[in-house]
Every structure is written in structure tokens, then in C-alpha cells.
Amino acid sequence: MIPATDLHLLHSSPGFSAVRFFPCHRSRTPLRGRFFTVRSSLPFPNEKAKYHKELEAAMEVVERACRLCVDVQRSLFSDEGRILEKNDQTPVTVADFGVQALVSLELSKLFPSIPLVVEEDSGFLRSNNLVDPVVSAVSDKTSFDEESLSRADVLEAIDRGGKDAFAFGTKPATYWILDPIDGTRGFVKGSQALYVVGLSLVVEGEIVLGAMGCPNWVVDTSYRSTADVQGYKNSSPGLGIIMVAHVGCGTWTKRLKDMLDSSTKMSSDWTRCFVDGCCLVPEARFCISDSQTWESLPLSILYEARIDADDDIRDKEIRLFPTCCGSLCKYLMVASGRASVFILQARSQKVIKAWDHAVGVICVHEAGGKVTDWTGSELDLAADQVERRNIYPAGGVLVTNSNIHDQILEMISSNSTVV
């Protein structure tokens, strides 16, 4: 376990400012932590990474969270009660809340003064009688003794990062951003669709590290068809990856299967990720939002989209990957070099959430890519001054390999009435 007293971060971030709003209901019996050592060494020397302890912890808890997701998903289709609908009709499962509780529990133990920004709160969980299944899902994945982990502990952990839990104010702040499951619609489809557990750390307005786990990612460098790339065809369960990034240290991936399978000897093989080298927009491979069509985007005036990647692309056409659920897997596609561009148009009726982008931003940046809004400005994570939950990119979000970023911005500007 990483001693909280050793954390330089708490002493090196004078700009940190947060006020707790929710009451802390402590369990009568204090939680007893299991002693554990972070198993996964980083792919770069610790002395090169200012926040190496924080990244080690993030990587460890994302691995545990992915294991929780895999276990819940295995039982999902035999227990329909595990799939429910929130008011916004987004599927929510035991895994969403389980991951949020797990990550909150572990981070609050190691970094008790750093707040967590995340989507859910326990109200939905309580009203739908899902507390016990979540406690069960979390209990054997935490470093706490199972006997000492109570319902109250899990509910408090969930609410630690929920709406109205903290007020940050206008000063720069230090906080974690978590997306428990980005691509929940993919999660409930089973092993043939991608979903991502994403965790990042923001220090004084800068994203300094991130870890993304994708249990269904197909580790195959051939990926001739886009269907194979997305994991919708010929994918094997458990072949996923974890991607980590640290400011100034690059973006790296490692097989998640080796981490999840306790019978497999841990491998130290990390692969450094780089964005692709595409320099011409017509040769780029595009990803778009699940809820948008190519025809709704400004570039559709210039190019038609072809989803069949095996065919030659003709003049005035571009390659468009099939839809995969959530935003973070699209960042993962660009950071790993499998896609060249992810473009998202902002819509007035839909708020863009920080957790759908934060960890993806640093992974793409450290892989050599670029992320801006449609005017070329960096995403402002502090625009939501009180809660740090929402971002307001002008026009939308553009994620590229850097080479073609300015070209696409110019095309957007010339053909859009939004920017």
C-alpha cells in the first residue's frame, strides 16, 4: 500500500481548494485495509514521473475495476434485474456503481484530501434496491477486509464523488475525474462491444496522468477490417488492454489479460503508443459520436463517408469506423494509432461531461496527438467553476494525430454555421 504520508502531491499543490458539502457517516467499525503492494511497475523510470505514485495507484485501481466489470458482465445476462434505466434512459448496471465505489474507496484511503469528480450518486441505487449487489461486487475487489466493508461504507464512497459533493470555486484545484464505465450501452451488449474504465488526475487545471482499461479491446496489429478494430467481430473475451499516460512520459499500453488472470505470470512488456502519421485528410480514418451522423457534421459537405474500410476510397470520400459506444474508446483509437480523427459536435440540448474526455485528452496528447474545441482552443476543465463536471467546447471537440488538425479546423470553420 502507498502510505498517504509519502504523497508529495498534497504538499506541492497550494492551489487545491475544495469544500465538502455532504456529511460523512462513519461506520461504527473502522475499515481494516488489506496490505497489498501495487503489482504493476510503470513503463518508465519513476524519477521521470513527478506523479508516479499517483499513476501506480490509478493503474492498480483501474485493473481492479476492469476485473469487477468482467465478473459482473458474466452474470449480467442471467439476471435481467442488473440492467436498469435512469431518467435519461441510459443503461446503468451494478458495474457502474461498483466501479465508482471501488475507485472511491481505494483513492480516499491513499489520497484522502483529493476529491473525486464522477457521474453517479447513491440515490438511484437506494431507490432500486441495488445496494447489496453492489456491495457484493465490490467486496472481493477492494484492499479492505470484506467483513469490515458495510453498506454505509459503499454508499458513502459513491456519494463522495457525486453531484453537489464538493464546491471548487474559481481557484485552480487538484482532483480525480472518473468515468466508471464509458460506453455502458456497449457493456450491456456483452463481450463483442467495447467499453472503458477511465481515471485521470487534474493538478491546477492540467491533466497530469490517466489510466484507461478496456477489457474487450482486440490486441491485434493486423486489424484489416474496421469491424475487427472495433471489437464487434472475431474478438476474444479478456484480450483487453490498459493504457496509461503521464505528462512528459508518453502513452503506453499493456495486455489487460495478464493483469486480470492471477494464474498468469505478470509480464513487464509495455508498448509505447503513437498517433498515426496520416498527413492528408482524405487518407484519415474517422470516428464520430454514437449519437451523431456523418451528414450532421461540417466535413460532410466536402466528403462522403465509407464504412467499408477494405474497399479503396474514392475521391471526395473518407473512411469512417463503425460506431463504438462511448467517447473514451474513440480517444483510445486515436492514441493507439488505429484512428486518425475523432470529431464530436456540441449540441445545445446535451451537456458534455468532463469524465467523457479528460483521461482521453492526456492519452492522445502524450501519444503525439492534439485535442481542441472547434476554434482550436484547449478544453477548459475549469469552466464549470463550482463542480468541474461539465465542459463547454466551442462548436465541439476535435481529436486528431496533430498532422491534420489545422486542416480540419479550417474545413470546419469554412463549412460550419456553429463555430
Side-chain angles (χ1 to χ4, degrees):
M1 183 174 70
I2 305 170
T5 54
D6 291 344
L7 299 176
H8 56 81
L9 179 58
L10 302 181
H11 303 288
S12 62
S13 300
F16 167 70
S17 174
V19 179
R20 286 197 175 196
F21 277 170
F22 68 91
C24 292
H25 303 290
R26 298 297 179 189
S27 305
R28 293 182 179 179
T29 303
L31 285 174
R32 299 190 301 276
R34 300 190 191 107
F35 179 81
F36 74 98
T37 302
V38 175
R39 297 175 295 118
S40 306
S41 60
L42 298 178
F44 38 78
N46 287 351
E47 57 268 22
K48 291 187 177 182
K50 181 178 180 179
Y51 305 102
H52 66 88
K53 292 182 179 179
E54 294 80 8
L55 182 55
E56 286 174 346
M59 185 166 54
E60 166 73 14
V61 75
V62 168
E63 292 167 21
R64 289 170 178 258
C66 287
R67 189 182 301 115
L68 183 153
C69 290
V70 170
D71 288 350
V72 172
Q73 193 180 51
R74 285 171 179 164
S75 62
L76 189 64
F77 299 100
S78 62
D79 185 359
E80 295 182 359
R82 298 288 180 91
I83 304 176
L84 298 172
E85 295 284 331
K86 290 191 300 186
N87 292 334
D88 63 1
Q89 304 305 306
T90 301
V92 175
T93 70
V94 170
D96 284 285
F97 292 99
V99 168
Q100 184 164 324
L102 172 65
V103 172
S104 179
L105 283 165
E106 298 297 334
L107 294 183
S108 64
K109 178 177 63 176
L110 300 175
F111 309 91
S113 298
I114 304 179
L116 177 68
V117 174
V118 72
E119 182 172 8
E120 310 292 352
D121 58 46
S122 67
F124 179 83
L125 200 66
R126 297 171 191 265
S127 63
N128 286 278
N129 298 318
L130 281 170
V131 179
D132 288 337
V134 170
V135 173
S136 177
V138 172
S139 61
D140 65 340
K141 300 299 186 299
T142 71
S143 59
F144 298 100
D145 289 337
E146 293 181 35
E147 295 79 8
S148 64
L149 187 65
S150 69
R151 289 164 54 101
D153 296 323
V154 170
L155 292 171
E156 180 183 332
I158 291 171
D159 286 334
R160 174 176 175 256
K163 185 175 176 59
D164 300 325
F166 294 92
F168 288 90
T170 59
K171 294 182 180 180
T174 297
Y175 54 97
W176 297 98
I177 300 179
L178 169 69
D179 196 332
I181 297 181
D182 185 72
T184 308
R185 295 186 185 278
F187 177 82
V188 299
K189 290 179 181 178
S191 62
Q192 298 301 305
L194 302 183
Y195 63 92
V196 172
V197 176
L199 179 65
S200 58
L201 179 65
V202 178
V203 177
E204 298 186 5
E206 180 185 11
I207 308 169
V208 298
L209 63 87
M212 285 196 285
C214 185
N216 291 336
W217 184 264
V218 178
V219 183
D220 180 5
T221 56
S222 60
Y223 53 85
R224 292 186 177 181
S225 78
T226 55
D228 288 335
V229 173
Q230 300 290 357
Y232 284 103
K233 185 174 71 176
N234 300 331
S235 65
S236 300
L239 292 183
I241 61 170
I242 188 166
M243 174 177 283
V244 300
H246 184 289
V247 60
C249 296
T251 298
W252 302 76
T253 59
K254 185 175 182 178
R255 288 282 295 271
L256 189 57
K257 183 177 187 297
D258 295 336
M259 299 176 177
L260 298 183
D261 187 354
S262 59
S263 64
T264 303
K265 183 179 180 180
M266 285 299 300
S267 170
S268 59
D269 293 336
W270 286 94
T271 301
R272 186 160 186 178
C273 296
F274 296 96
V275 295
D276 74 7
C278 177
C279 295
L280 299 174
V281 174
E283 296 177 0
R285 293 162 292 178
F286 283 76
C287 297
I288 64 174
S289 170
D290 314 336
S291 60
Q292 296 173 349
T293 63
W294 179 256
E295 289 71 25
S296 68
L297 300 174
L299 269 64
S300 65
I301 298 174
L302 303 173
Y303 300 101
E304 292 184 8
R306 292 286 300 275
I307 295 181
D308 190 349
D310 291 333
D311 286 354
D312 292 333
I313 299 298
R314 298 190 293 267
D315 188 37
K316 302 298 182 181
E317 292 182 339
I318 57 93
R319 289 179 173 88
L320 180 64
F321 282 167
T323 299
C324 53
C325 300
S327 295
L328 291 184
C329 65
K330 299 177 181 70
Y331 278 96
L332 202 157
M333 296 279 286
V334 175
S336 64
R338 292 190 175 184
S340 314
V341 181
F342 167 38
I343 183 170
L344 168 71
Q345 183 169 13
R347 296 182 297 180
S348 58
Q349 68 271 28
K350 186 173 182 180
V351 177
I352 297 178
K353 299 297 185 179
W355 48 77
D356 288 330
H357 298 271
V359 66
V361 170
I362 188 170
C363 287
V364 168
H365 279 171
E366 288 297 316
K370 193 171 184 178
V371 182
T372 70
D373 65 17
W374 284 14
T375 68
S377 300
E378 294 186 1
L379 304 186
D380 183 3
L381 295 179
D384 180 359
Q385 295 183 352
V386 176
E387 295 181 338
R388 300 294 197 274
R389 300 169 68 82
N390 303 323
I391 58 176
Y392 309 98
V397 178
L398 178 62
V399 183
T400 74
N401 63 6
S402 289
N403 292 339
I404 56 178
H405 200 88
D406 291 344
Q407 298 176 49
I408 296 179
L409 284 178
E410 184 176 351
M411 293 176 182
I412 291 173
S413 178
S414 301
N415 297 281
S416 174
T417 59
V418 177
V419 179

